[in-house]
C-alpha cells in the first residue's frame, strides 16, 4: 500500500476511534499463521496511545484452522507458541498488553461464540 494511502487510513482510524462516542470495542484481526506484521504493530501502538478508556481493544487471531492438518470437531484450530509469544510481546511493547486475545476460524467457527459474547459484554457499558 502506498505511504500516502497508509497515512490516510491511519488518520481516519485515529479520528474515528477518538471521536465516535458510541464506539465500545475495536477488534484487531491478525493472521494466526504469521502473527503481527509491521502494520499490526503500528495499529497496536496507535490504539495503545490514543484509544479512549471507554473503548475496549481486542486482538483476534484469525485462520486458526490453517495451523492444523485436517481440522476436526476435536481440534478446530491452534496457534504456534512462537506466534503467540510474538503477539504478546508486540502487545506489551505497544501499550495494549492487557487486551484479550481470541483465537478464531471462519471455517470451523472456533472462537465465534467468544467474540459474540465479548461484543455483547462491551455493548452493555
Amino acid at each position: 500500500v502506498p505511504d500516502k494511502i497508509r497515512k490516510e487510513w491511519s488518520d481516519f482510524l485515529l479520528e474515528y476511534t477518538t471521536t465516535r462516542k458510541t464506539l465500545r470495542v475495536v477488534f484487531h484481526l491478525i493472521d494466526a499463521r504469521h502473527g503481527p506484521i509491521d502494520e499490526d504493530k503500528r495499529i497496536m501502538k496507535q490504539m495503545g496511545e490514543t484509544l479512549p478508556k471507554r473503548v475496549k481493544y481486542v486482538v483476534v487471531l484469525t485462520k486458526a484452522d490453517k495451523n492444523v492438518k485436517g481440522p476436526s470437531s476435536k481440534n478446530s484450530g491452534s496457534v504456534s507458541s512462537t506466534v503467540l509469544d510474538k503477539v504478546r510481546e508486540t502487545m506489551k511493547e505497544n501499550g495494549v498488553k492487557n487486551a484479550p486475545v481470541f483465537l478464531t476460524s471462519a471455517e470451523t467457527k472456533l472462537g465465534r461464540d467468544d467474540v459474540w459474547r465479548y461484543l455483547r459484554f462491551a455493548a452493555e457499558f
Side-chain angles (χ1 to χ4, degrees), residues 1-17:
V1 177
D3 285 342
K4 182 179 185 245
I5 293 175
R6 189 180 312 261
K7 173 76 169 113
E8 289 173 4
W9 288 349
S10 179
D11 292 346
F12 170 78
L13 183 61
L14 175 63
E15 181 181 344
Y16 189 87
T17 57

Side-chain angles (χ1 to χ4, degrees), residues 25-45:
V25 64
V26 172
F27 290 101
H28 183 167
L29 308 181
I30 297 175
D31 191 322
R33 298 171 297 178
H34 312 293
I37 60 173
D38 289 343
E39 188 66 15
D40 294 313
K41 294 173 186 178
R42 189 195 59 71
I43 291 169
M44 278 186 192
K45 182 175 174 67

Side-chain angles (χ1 to χ4, degrees), residues 55-102:
V55 180
K56 306 297 181 209
Y57 174 77
V58 178
V59 173
V60 179
L61 298 176
T62 65
K63 301 179 185 173
D65 60 289
K66 307 296 185 203
N67 291 326
V68 175
K69 187 174 183 179
S72 66
S73 61
K74 291 183 180 183
N75 191 0
S76 57
S78 70
V79 61
S80 74
S81 60
T82 304
V83 168
L84 191 55
D85 290 346
K86 186 177 172 186
V87 168
R88 287 289 183 200
E89 184 61 31
T90 302
M91 292 171 66
K92 185 177 178 181
E93 290 170 356
N94 292 290
V96 292
K97 68 180 180 182
N98 294 323
V101 177
F102 292 118

